[in-house]
Amino acid sequence: MSTAQAREPASPESNPLFLQSVARTLRVLEAFTQLPRPLSIAELSAAAGLDKSAGQRIVHTLQALGYLERSSAGLVPGKKVLYRAFDYLRMNALVESATPVLHELRKSVKERVDLSLLDSTNIVYAVRLQSKRENFPATLVGRRIPTFCSSGGRAMLAALPEEEAMQILQQSDRRPLTPKTITEIPALVDKIREARRDGYALALEESALGEIVLAAAVLDIHGRPVAAIHAAGSLSEWKEETFRRRISPLVMEAARALSHTYKHG
Amino acid sequence: MSTAQAREPASPESNPLFLQSVARTLRVLEAFTQLPRPLSIAELSAAAGLDKSAGQRIVHTLQALGYLERSSAGLVPGKKVLYRAFDYLRMNALVESATPVLHELRKSVKERVDLSLLDSTNIVYAVRLQSKRENFPATLVGRRIPTFCSSGGRAMLAALPEEEAMQILQQSDRRPLTPKTITEIPALVDKIREARRDGYALALEESALGEIVLAAAVLDIHGRPVAAIHAAGSLSEWKEETFRRRISPLVMEAARALSHTYKHG
DNA sequence: TTTACCGTATCGCTAACCGATACGATCGAA
DNA sequence: TTCGATCGTATCGGTTAGCGATACGGTAAA
């Protein structure tokens, strides 16, 4: 096509119903994912692929609406984004029913337990009950990590039709998060097969060093994986085998209790 | 043509930098606050004050971007909103330093403890460590309740210049949340004065029946209130006086530990 | 079957937005 | 102090992105 200088890279949605003004707005808010610090208008504009003027207008509007705030060092996300997360969480029946189950689980395993949701190549933490002091961002709701290298992600991949799982693996950005992250497709396929056999998945220091995580998938009424229950321990306190033996039945039971109940989708 | 009927109510921002396309986009996402259930395109459009076509386009785009998802019963918020909340939380230095403090506090009071942030007429919960089983939405991050009827809100109002506090009271929608909610300005002024004297605020069944909440304000480096530390107990287990005596020193100490440290603003 | 409402798709018109431009303030380095 | 760089802010005519009226097919309840 000879539109030499296309303004937007022919937005993935060349659908006439796709509004670039909406996409631009959200790209501004998404800038903080790459640059998690107070940003200037110019930085936000650049990160969103906008010129100064467009950035100025969008920032001004988002600020007026409470989705951006001014701090002494620049613009930061506004409290309104928390309201939107609340809307998500309160409407999610799975999050609701998982909360008491996770509390029970937390009591018996005495380690950090989480509920994560499958979002294609990533998983997002939706409920988190931490135990000890840990690296701060790692413990927050909304954190996302790649599906392929998390125990929960692999537990869900194991419950997906093989073809879909392969697709996700191939679409994933498989850069390692730690030196121990498994990144080769064949090795990952092995781990997934293992998870399918065992009913749970295990990740050893793949997203954080010193951390052992065990997870089982939560299935919806059609048998599709929609979430996972995680339990995370420290390798300074657990041997792999003990962790598997003691924790896996509890995690699997919790996941089973939540499976097949709601339509979740 | 006589544009007799202005399309938008001359948006609060008649500033030429205010983009109505941005405002429309966010109004769609905000619809779930009023109507927390799966919605159709028509419902979302109506809630956002848009016609069917505009709604269709915005919904289509938000869905393509992951900010809306289709469930069996209609459209619901998408997981991307959780990512944005994560961006907020991880960048907030106060949230970060409050997390270990809250864990300590949680250990000594053995009740639910929260960190809330002041957002004018509302407070938002940013960190929550719950104890027992409770009414579900009431325990979520991102939940917002009116400043005037929460202990944390009143603790912060007490730390604000009198004039500003009055302004917030007057701007507030003071409909009661429970039969015990105090809604009269003079009575609220009394409660705020009391909080100023004591260094903490108390709310008895004002946002939930059977609940007693005690809170102290966290001040920024300029002495302005930016957040509050809450501890919530059940009236079936606590007498007011015991709660005050046992809990208030701990909550005040936690709030003091966080005050005057960061620029927070 | 009828009716109502759903999601989806089309298309010409136009005003909302674009983006180039300019101005004053601030801050560090020279 | 004087630059130069970069910040936020403000203005304005041209045009394109988006508006909104309209239409179509499917589905579910009456």
Side-chain angles (χ1 to χ4, degrees):
Chain A
M1 186 190 320
S2 67
T3 35
Q5 24 192 359
R7 306 186 166 277
E8 311 278 328
S11 61
E13 306 288 325
S14 48
N15 189 315
L17 292 179
F18 188 87
L19 301 190
Q20 64 151 293
S21 63
V22 172
R24 288 177 166 202
T25 298
L26 294 164
R27 283 210 305 272
V28 169
L29 290 176
E30 288 164 2
F32 296 106
T33 295
Q34 304 292 332
L35 306 164
R37 55 182 168 81
L39 299 176
S40 69
I41 293 181
E43 288 171 313
L44 281 168
S45 306
L50 304 172
D51 62 43
K52 187 185 173 176
S53 293
Q56 176 189 19
R57 286 188 290 267
I58 294 177
V59 165
H60 172 89
T61 311
L62 287 174
Q63 192 186 342
L65 297 174
Y67 288 89
L68 286 176
E69 290 173 11
R70 279 192 187 285
S71 84
S72 49
L75 293 150
V76 295
K79 297 180 187 70
K80 279 282 188 76
V81 303
L82 295 182
Y83 297 173
R84 300 290 76 79
F86 175 69
D87 288 338
Y88 180 94
L89 294 169
R90 79 197 292 211
M91 287 178 56
N92 191 309
L94 178 54
V95 169
E96 177 164 9
S97 41
T99 302
V101 172
L102 283 170
H103 272 94
E104 276 308 306
L105 181 61
R106 170 76 181 68
K107 251 196 275 183
S108 38
V109 309
K110 299 216 169 57
E111 296 288 348
R112 194 189 79 215
V113 299
D114 302 306
L115 178 78
S116 69
L117 306 175
L118 180 59
D119 193 14
S120 176
T121 57
N122 294 290
I123 65 168
V124 206
Y125 291 107
V127 185
R128 318 204 62 174
L129 305 178
Q130 60 186 104
S131 51
K132 356 189 141 30
R133 216 158 290 183
E134 297 178 85
N135 158 24
F136 172 66
T139 66
L140 294 171
V141 164
R143 176 174 161 89
R144 123 185 97 165
I145 59 177
T147 302
F148 81 92
C149 68
S150 62
S151 58
R154 294 207 290 246
M156 291 190 265
L157 290 176
L160 232 36
E162 192 120 14
E163 193 189 342
E164 283 184 64
M166 280 307 294
Q167 246 174 12
I168 290 181
L169 284 186
Q170 272 147 7
Q171 289 165 1
S172 293
D173 170 6
R174 294 200 310 286
R175 275 176 296 189
L177 298 192
T178 76
K180 305 256 195 155
T181 306
I182 299 175
T183 62
E184 301 301 323
I185 298 245
L188 289 168
V189 170
D190 278 355
K191 293 293 280 181
I192 291 168
R193 205 161 284 156
E194 194 183 301
R196 197 174 298 127
R197 183 196 64 205
D198 299 340
Y200 68 86
L202 190 94
L204 265 172
E205 304 189 283
E206 288 198 53
S207 56
L209 286 176
E211 193 181 73
I212 177 170
V213 191
L214 190 154
V218 176
L219 309 178
D220 72 6
I221 205 166
H222 305 111
R224 286 186 63 86
V226 287
I229 304 266
H230 304 232
S234 164
L235 280 176
S236 62
E237 300 170 15
W238 290 92
K239 288 207 131 307
E240 177 184 336
E241 265 320 307
T242 331
F243 197 77
R244 290 186 111 108
R245 189 160 15 90
R246 302 263 278 271
I247 305 296
S248 67
L250 299 167
V251 168
M252 287 167 69
E253 174 51 32
R256 193 138 29 83
L258 293 170
S259 288
H260 303 299
T261 50
Y262 295 97
K263 284 199 271 183
H264 299 154
Chain B
M1 131 192 24
S2 67
T3 37
Q5 28 195 351
R7 309 185 168 275
E8 311 277 328
S11 62
E13 307 288 324
S14 49
N15 188 315
L17 293 179
F18 188 87
L19 301 190
Q20 65 151 291
S21 63
V22 172
R24 288 177 167 202
T25 298
L26 294 164
R27 283 211 304 272
V28 169
L29 290 177
E30 289 164 2
F32 297 106
T33 295
Q34 303 293 331
L35 306 163
R37 54 181 169 84
L39 298 176
S40 68
I41 293 182
E43 287 170 314
L44 281 168
S45 306
L50 304 172
D51 62 43
K52 186 185 174 178
S53 293
Q56 176 189 18
R57 285 188 291 266
I58 294 178
V59 165
H60 172 88
T61 311
L62 287 173
Q63 193 187 341
L65 297 174
Y67 288 88
L68 286 177
E69 291 173 10
R70 280 193 186 285
S71 84
S72 48
L75 293 150
V76 295
K79 297 179 186 69
K80 280 283 190 75
V81 303
L82 295 182
Y83 297 172
R84 300 290 77 79
F86 176 69
D87 288 338
Y88 180 95
L89 294 170
R90 78 195 294 211
M91 287 179 56
N92 191 310
L94 179 54
V95 169
E96 177 164 8
S97 42
T99 302
V101 172
L102 283 171
H103 272 94
E104 276 308 307
L105 182 61
R106 172 73 179 70
K107 252 197 274 182
S108 40
V109 308
K110 299 215 170 55
E111 294 289 348
R112 194 190 80 214
V113 299
D114 302 306
L115 177 80
S116 69
L117 306 174
L118 181 58
D119 192 15
S120 176
T121 55
N122 293 289
I123 66 169
V124 206
Y125 291 106
V127 185
R128 318 205 63 173
L129 305 179
Q130 50 179 326
S131 52
K132 355 189 143 32
R133 215 159 290 183
E134 297 179 85
N135 157 24
F136 170 68
T139 66
L140 294 172
V141 164
R143 177 173 160 90
R144 122 185 99 165
I145 61 177
T147 301
F148 81 91
C149 68
S150 63
S151 58
R154 294 207 290 246
M156 293 191 264
L157 289 176
L160 231 38
E162 192 119 16
E163 192 189 342
E164 282 186 63
M166 279 308 292
Q167 246 175 13
I168 290 182
L169 284 186
Q170 272 148 8
Q171 288 164 4
S172 293
D173 171 5
R174 294 200 310 286
R175 275 175 295 188
L177 299 192
T178 76
K180 305 257 196 154
T181 306
I182 299 175
T183 61
E184 301 301 323
I185 298 244
L188 289 168
V189 169
D190 279 354
K191 292 292 279 181
I192 291 169
R193 204 163 284 156
E194 194 183 300
R196 197 175 297 126
R197 183 196 66 205
D198 299 339
Y200 68 86
L202 191 94
L204 266 170
E205 304 190 281
E206 288 198 52
S207 58
L209 286 177
E211 193 182 73
I212 177 170
V213 191
L214 191 154
V218 176
L219 310 179
D220 72 7
I221 205 165
H222 305 111
R224 284 184 66 84
V226 287
I229 303 265
H230 304 232
S234 164
L235 281 176
S236 61
E237 301 169 14
W238 290 91
K239 288 207 129 305
E240 177 184 335
E241 266 320 308
T242 333
F243 198 76
R244 292 185 109 108
R245 188 158 18 88
R246 301 263 279 272
I247 305 295
S248 67
L250 300 167
V251 168
M252 287 168 70
E253 174 51 32
R256 194 139 28 83
L258 293 171
S259 287
H260 303 300
T261 52
Y262 296 96
K263 285 200 271 184
H264 299 155

